[in-house]
Amino acid sequence: QKEVEQDPGPLSVPEGAIVSLNCTYSNSAFQYFMWYRQYSRKGPELLMYTYSSGNKEDGRFTAQVDKSSKYISLFIRDSQPSDSATYLCAMSAPSGGSNYKLTFGKGTLLTVNP
Amino acid sequence: DTAVSQTPKYLVTQMGNDKSIKCEQNLGHDTMYWYKQDSKKFLKIMFSYNNKELIINETVPNRFSPKSPDKAHLNLHINSLELGDSAVYFCASSQVTPQETQYFGPGTRLLVL
């Protein structure tokens, strides 16, 4: 079983829809949970990060972590065509000393149609 | 101002050649990384340096050798290029914080013919 599993999609939704993106993980050592967004032909950029179980909201984006189920989600409300991108979940665990290593999911390609 | 920059953006070369990719960050970060993103968009860490010291070295062929002349630069040299090396290579940097907010460069698209 891979450490981080993410449905690659593609996911196509109409503008204004609520989008739900999900990842599961198997490594209990993961402590921090992040969502990165990657536009076509660009590098990934951090959208949100969370540490504890629960919800974290930032504008139209809500990140949810359920450590007991090893499941994280990203919700996008009122989706816009500009949200069309690949969304990658990422999780970090200690890798020795004060260093952390990030493990990415495979990414979900989202298209929001006007 | 570009926070993390990479050169070149595109690299087309023949099998067996040796090539280098350069990365520079002006964020004052202590840690830099090289990632490989394959055709299926899977992003996998290759190396990580903290203050010029190698701290993560994933299972990467010896043909790949990173070099960090100072903490703002991390270069990647690849010997005897193979077809399977074709991918997008991303450089990233971060402070050594638990949440590991990493800032990525624009990527170098390598095509080996």
Side-chain angles (χ1 to χ4, degrees):
Chain A
Q1 181 186 8
K2 285 196 170 63
E3 278 191 297
V4 180
E5 300 270 9
Q6 182 176 9
D7 185 343
L11 188 58
S12 181
V13 301
E15 185 174 352
I18 296 174
V19 176
S20 170
L21 304 165
N22 311 296
C23 286
T24 58
Y25 63 96
S26 57
N27 186 352
S28 299
F30 286 135
Q31 296 182 1
Y32 291 87
F33 304 89
M34 284 140 269
W35 286 95
Y36 280 77
R37 177 175 60 195
Q38 185 176 19
Y39 290 114
S40 181
R41 299 195 164 269
K42 301 283 186 187
E45 55 178 350
L46 181 69
L47 259 183
M48 297 182 72
Y49 77 86
T50 53
Y51 171 66
S52 56
S53 282
N55 293 354
K56 183 176 180 181
E57 197 172 309
D58 183 2
R60 296 183 295 109
F61 298 89
T62 300
Q64 194 174 75
V65 173
D66 182 347
K67 286 189 176 180
S68 61
S69 303
K70 295 191 175 68
Y71 188 90
I72 71 170
S73 300
L74 178 71
F75 298 97
I76 308 174
R77 287 186 300 282
D78 187 25
S79 55
Q80 303 294 309
S82 58
D83 295 329
S84 298
T86 297
Y87 289 80
L88 302 118
C89 62
M91 308 178 188
S92 72
S95 65
S98 58
N99 302 305
Y100 281 72
K101 180 183 140 184
L102 211 56
T103 303
F104 283 87
K106 283 195 171 185
T108 300
L109 177 61
L110 170 69
T111 302
V112 181
N113 302 300
Chain B
D1 276 348
T2 304
V4 182
S5 59
Q6 294 178 230
T7 52
K9 280 192 176 173
Y10 299 95
L11 192 48
V12 182
T13 188
Q14 299 287 332
M15 255 191 340
N17 283 352
D18 303 338
K19 290 292 177 188
S20 291
I21 307 172
K22 294 186 175 183
C23 178
E24 176 181 0
Q25 55 97 0
N26 62 7
L27 298 167
H29 288 163
D30 292 325
T31 309
M32 295 184 73
Y33 312 82
W34 277 111
Y35 286 88
K36 179 180 179 181
Q37 189 170 47
D38 60 26
S39 57
K40 294 182 178 174
K41 298 287 192 182
F42 186 43
L43 193 63
K44 196 164 189 304
I45 190 164
M46 299 173 70
F47 301 103
S48 172
Y49 270 74
N50 178 256
N51 258 322
K52 303 196 299 173
E53 183 185 339
L54 181 66
I55 54 171
I56 292 175
N57 183 352
E58 292 296 291
T59 311
V60 176
N62 290 339
R63 300 181 294 104
F64 290 79
S65 51
K67 268 210 170 85
S68 182
D70 55 63
K71 74 174 194 177
H73 295 84
L74 181 62
N75 303 324
L76 184 65
H77 188 76
I78 316 171
N79 288 328
S80 304
L81 278 155
E82 299 177 358
L83 294 176
D85 297 332
S86 296
V88 182
Y89 292 84
F90 285 101
C91 177
S93 75
S94 72
Q95 284 291 39
V96 183
T97 56
Q99 62 265 37
E100 281 288 311
T101 307
Q102 296 188 14
Y103 295 83
F104 284 79
T108 296
R109 279 160 181 77
L110 171 65
L111 178 60
V112 183
L113 302 173

